[in-house]
Amino acid sequence: MTPETRIVQSWSSNAAVWADAIQADALESRRLATNAAIVDAVLRTHGQRVLDVGCGEGWLARELARAGRAVVGFDGSDTLVERARQNTDAAILLLDYAAFAADPAAVGGPFDSAVCNFSILARDILPLLDAIRRCVRSGGTLVIQTVHPLAAGGRYEDGWREETFAGLAGEWAPMPWYFRTFASWVAELHAAQWRLTDCREPVHPGTGAPASLILCATPAE
Ligand SMILES: C[S@@+](CC[C@H](N)C(=O)[O-])C[C@H]1O[C@@H](n2cnc3c(N)ncnc32)[C@H](O)[C@@H]1O
């Protein structure tokens, strides 16, 4: 089984415990830093129409909709899509990234912005980044929040890692995810014809360590 297939399977296995953890606000870094940071980053973008890529159980779609944005979210986990539809009035679609890449128009659009909040986990992400660009208007924005490359530990080189969700309540299936250096993120964005426009590094208020990396990009002309 490929790591990409295992990622999708892990989100099927972990959907209920993940949704419970998010709804209980159990992830400290999210509670203290990264949730507010991504909401702020998206609300600073221009325009109403937002695409939430890999929306999970829908908390971000809900917050953006509450702030007045017209949000479409999509995710490949049927359980998480069901939970998202309970959590928000935003439009939530059941769609995996491969199907989205094959038919970007399936999500509607054009969108003023798209957001990927810890939802880019695979190695080969060009088809996904390319499909998002096809749905975002000229001058629009892609906002990606991901693990800060300096906070992940280990060798500073691209490669597969394993998330075990240690410390969270419940039974979890381990999930592979592809670690990227900062340079690798920038190279992927450029290869998919996105131009980096902004970069933020939210900090954990207690430890002072970087809590995440936020990259903002616009379609290259
Ligand atoms: C860490 S969760 C983040 C969820 C949400 N963005 C949030 O902030 O809570 C990663 C999400 O990406 C989705 N995902 C990962 N790979 C996917 C794929 N190939 N197709 C569709 N969804 C995928 C998972 O189902 C999961 O909901």
Side-chain angles (χ1 to χ4, degrees), residues 13 19 22 38 52 55 57 68-69 72 81 90 95 98 123 132 144 149 152 157 191 201 219:
S13 309
I22 297 302
I38 194 67
D52 186 354
C55 63
E57 53 66 65
R69 296 297 194 272
V72 174
V81 163
L95 190 68
R123 180 176 54 190
I132 298 170
I144 297 173
E157 62 187 21
E201 297 170 292

Side-chain angles (χ1 to χ4, degrees), residues 8 11 18 30 54-56 59 75-76 80 95-97 117-119:
V8 173
W11 286 104
W18 173 259
R30 285 187 168 227
C55 63
W59 79 270
D75 200 280
L80 288 174
L95 190 68
D96 67 32
Y97 294 168
N117 192 48
F118 297 109
S119 56

Side-chain angles (χ1 to χ4, degrees), residues 52-92:
D52 186 354
V53 177
C55 63
E57 53 66 65
W59 79 270
L60 180 56
R62 181 190 66 228
E63 293 306 311
L64 296 173
R66 274 185 186 155
R69 296 297 194 272
V71 184
V72 174
F74 74 94
D75 200 280
S77 159
D78 52 0
T79 303
L80 288 174
V81 163
E82 201 177 304
R83 294 284 281 259
R85 286 175 178 157
Q86 291 163 7
N87 284 336
T88 174
D89 292 334
I92 305 292

Side-chain angles (χ1 to χ4, degrees), residues 12-199:
S12 175
S13 309
N14 292 334
V17 273
W18 173 259
D20 289 345
I22 297 302
Q23 283 161 23
D25 228 358
L27 281 75
E28 187 193 59
S29 60
R30 285 187 168 227
R31 196 168 61 240
L32 297 183
T34 66
N35 280 1
I38 194 67
V39 170
D40 179 66
V42 176
L43 292 183
R44 282 171 188 266
T45 66
H46 297 293
Q48 291 295 303
R49 298 159 301 174
V50 181
L51 179 65
D52 186 354
V53 177
C55 63
E57 53 66 65
W59 79 270
L60 180 56
R62 181 190 66 228
E63 293 306 311
L64 296 173
R66 274 185 186 155
R69 296 297 194 272
V71 184
V72 174
F74 74 94
D75 200 280
S77 159
D78 52 0
T79 303
L80 288 174
V81 163
E82 201 177 304
R83 294 284 281 259
R85 286 175 178 157
Q86 291 163 7
N87 284 336
T88 174
D89 292 334
I92 305 292
L93 309 174
L94 176 60
L95 190 68
D96 67 32
Y97 294 168
F100 171 60
D103 180 19
V107 296
F111 293 90
D112 298 302
S113 59
V115 56
C116 301
N117 192 48
F118 297 109
S119 56
I120 298 184
L121 303 163
R123 180 176 54 190
D124 181 11
I125 59 173
L126 284 183
L128 177 64
L129 294 177
D130 186 64
I132 298 170
R133 186 175 45 74
R134 290 173 193 279
C135 303
V136 171
R137 68 167 170 80
S138 171
T141 309
L142 168 62
V143 184
I144 297 173
Q145 180 159 236
T146 187
V147 173
H148 194 287
L150 290 181
R155 293 183 65 84
Y156 195 69
E157 62 187 21
D158 287 10
W160 286 102
R161 306 275 179 98
E162 191 102 335
E163 172 63 61
T164 61
F165 304 95
L168 292 174
E171 294 283 315
W172 294 81
M175 176 198 72
W177 63 282
Y178 196 74
F179 172 85
R180 279 173 215 288
T181 63
F182 186 87
S184 175
W185 274 111
V186 173
E188 292 287 345
L189 287 168
H190 286 176
Q193 296 178 55
W194 288 97
R195 184 170 56 80
L196 191 64
T197 54
D198 195 11
C199 170

